Amino acid sequence: MWFQTLKTRHSVRSFSTENSQGLVLGLEYTDRKTEIHALKKETPPLLLEEGVSTVFATHENGGMSLLGISHSGKGKSCIEIRAWDVMSSLGFTAKEILVQDLQRNTINDGKFKAIISLPESLGTHLFLKMAVLNNFVSLAVSSGLIILWRCRKVENQAISLELVSMMTSATNIHDVALVFDENSTEKGPPLLVVGESGGIRLYSVTQHTDVTSEDSDMKFSSTHIPFPSSDVGNTVQGIQSVLPYSCVLSDSSGRLWYLHPPNLQEILLPSSQGGHGVFAVQMKEGQAEGWLATVDQGQTVNLYKMSDVIKKTDAGVITQPWHVVLSQHSISTISFIEDNVLAGGSNSLKSMSLWVGVDRIGSTKLESGYT
């Protein structure tokens, strides 16, 4: 494994990599502006305005789109949605966007954007969290609204977001994720994992209907999965998918948890009394051969085999790291941007750190390195 530093326009606040398949990377800077970079081809980056949340959606008929959602200045409770084709040979290409709103009206404003009105009861401060799994996209508004869309590419000319369902939550939403029901063979939407105070809430469709039907109005039921009584005062801080049917989440004390619905178990690490709030999961499609990376004391990166984490968590024992990296600078965010590349960002530096060759680290013993 080797190390590289790349200069950035600003200090990196977070990475956007979910569902990106190692083809594209989003960098959100501390000024809340975002850059989208192509990783496999030479093309100028796409610069987005302040406060735009991004996800990468794949399509059943091929290709990948970037969706950008932000609070619209045209209304107190409105959001603006835009779309770009990230696979075009011409670079990041704006696409016509068609969005079904909460009343199932198809909205399009000025061809390349759609402005959706939300209930005024949500207020004017809209804190948005997004999640994606294949072509399903969810948007959560912190004050209690969750929207699930299915993203489609229409005749290679436009991107369509078809409303699957809308759900409300009685408590504030801190993060959201999508996972499939491992035991279901029915064709239908994924489970919706919502991070709340005291645990998570799992939304599942009550009746599996054909999501391709134009009049499908799916109903979801919710199940609350709390933290153990000793941790019930903690709040979910972040959720990342491990496999299509499971995820890892962090709480406000810095502990990590493994969710394989409906089971929620604490991941026991050598310093499990918190301190793991900065973490990254390398998602592997259909297998548990990825990695879990955690940051300890701001400068120590511990790498764990995800298959070990799952096995040891099920057994209730501590998982030991396979590799340790000591960074010269404080790390405030990390992410696997490709299968073999772990990236780190710092609030205090205009650069990002890359550790390349993660899959080549030791096979049977703990290794350490200094970068």
Side-chain angles (χ1 to χ4, degrees):
M1 186 167 65
W2 55 276
F3 174 77
Q4 182 180 7
T5 300
L6 299 177
K7 291 183 178 180
T8 56
R9 184 185 62 81
H10 214 287
S11 300
V12 178
R13 181 174 183 266
S14 65
F15 299 97
S16 178
T17 59
E18 188 178 21
N19 211 43
S20 67
Q21 301 179 359
L23 300 175
V24 281
L25 165 67
L27 299 177
E28 183 186 358
Y29 294 119
T30 49
D31 62 1
R32 298 295 310 280
K33 294 181 179 180
T34 298
E35 275 183 359
I36 308 297
H37 292 261
L39 300 179
K40 302 298 185 183
K41 58 185 179 181
E42 293 288 339
T43 189
L46 174 67
L47 179 61
L48 303 178
E49 293 300 317
E50 178 181 343
V52 179
S53 300
T54 59
V55 291
F56 303 103
T58 52
H59 305 294
E60 290 182 335
N61 51 355
M64 179 186 297
S65 295
L66 163 69
L67 298 177
I69 301 183
S70 61
H71 184 196
S72 173
K74 288 194 173 182
K76 293 182 179 180
S77 297
C78 294
I79 55 173
E80 180 178 299
I81 305 177
R82 294 177 180 265
W84 293 264
D85 182 359
V86 303
M87 307 295 286
S88 171
S89 59
L90 301 176
F92 298 109
T93 306
K95 303 293 290 185
E96 182 178 357
I97 180 76
L98 306 170
V99 182
Q100 281 190 334
D101 67 7
L102 305 187
Q103 289 75 42
R104 295 193 179 275
N105 300 314
T106 300
I107 304 298
N108 174 261
D109 298 89
K111 190 175 183 179
F112 293 119
K113 65 180 178 181
I115 297 177
I116 304 299
S117 297
L118 302 178
E120 292 186 1
S121 58
L122 294 176
T124 58
H125 181 66
L126 303 179
F127 180 69
L128 308 177
K129 300 292 290 188
M130 297 179 67
V132 62
L133 182 58
N134 298 342
N135 62 341
F136 287 97
V137 177
S138 66
L139 172 69
V141 182
S142 59
S143 46
L145 176 70
I146 309 158
I147 306 170
L148 181 63
W149 284 293
R150 188 181 182 116
C151 183
R152 296 183 185 274
K153 184 168 61 175
V154 183
E155 297 179 353
N156 208 34
Q157 298 297 318
I159 302 301
S160 172
L161 291 181
E162 300 171 0
L163 183 67
V164 176
S165 190
M166 178 192 71
M167 292 143 278
T168 56
S169 173
T171 61
N172 283 344
I173 299 169
H174 296 275
D175 204 0
V176 64
L178 296 173
V179 296
F180 284 123
D181 184 349
E182 187 182 18
N183 299 316
S184 175
T185 59
E186 300 281 349
K187 183 178 181 181
L191 306 175
L192 185 65
V193 181
V194 176
E196 301 177 337
S197 177
I200 64 105
R201 188 166 297 277
L202 194 67
Y203 289 84
S204 58
V205 68
T206 55
Q207 180 180 2
H208 283 280
T209 57
D210 184 1
V211 293
T212 63
S213 174
E214 293 184 358
D215 60 353
S216 77
D217 186 11
M218 295 194 174
K219 303 300 182 183
F220 282 71
S221 61
S222 69
T223 303
H224 181 60
I225 303 178
F227 290 131
S229 56
S230 58
D231 300 288
V232 74
N234 292 332
T235 298
V236 173
Q237 297 295 297
I239 311 174
Q240 295 186 31
S241 296
V242 176
L243 296 165
Y245 52 82
S246 64
C247 53
V248 170
L249 57 94
S250 64
D251 66 19
S252 50
S253 71
R255 296 186 182 186
L256 297 183
W257 303 78
Y258 179 61
L259 174 67
H260 185 184
N263 300 314
L264 180 66
Q265 300 168 282
E266 183 181 356
I267 297 174
L268 301 177
L269 301 178
S271 53
S272 281
Q273 299 304 313
H276 304 295
V278 179
F279 74 101
V281 173
Q282 181 192 43
M283 181 174 173
K284 288 287 190 177
E285 184 75 24
Q287 53 186 344
E289 296 179 356
W291 295 90
L292 168 68
T294 66
V295 178
D296 188 27
Q297 303 298 320
Q299 292 182 254
T300 302
V301 179
N302 295 313
L303 284 163
Y304 302 85
K305 269 198 170 181
M306 201 62 230
S307 55
D308 275 0
V309 172
I310 294 173
K311 185 185 303 181
K312 298 295 179 62
T313 298
D314 286 342
V317 298
I318 294 175
T319 306
Q320 298 295 334
W322 282 56
H323 193 81
V324 176
V325 174
L326 305 177
S327 174
Q328 293 181 348
H329 308 290
S330 176
I331 300 172
S332 54
T333 183
I334 55 174
S335 181
F336 288 94
I337 64 175
E338 295 184 51
D339 278 351
N340 298 323
V341 182
L342 176 66
S346 171
N347 286 332
S348 58
L349 298 174
K350 293 183 179 181
S351 64
M352 57 185 289
S353 302
L354 299 179
W355 291 274
V356 183
V358 175
D359 64 338
R360 297 188 180 96
I361 66 177
S363 58
T364 59
K365 64 178 182 179
L366 174 67
E367 295 185 351
S368 63
Y370 184 80
T371 57

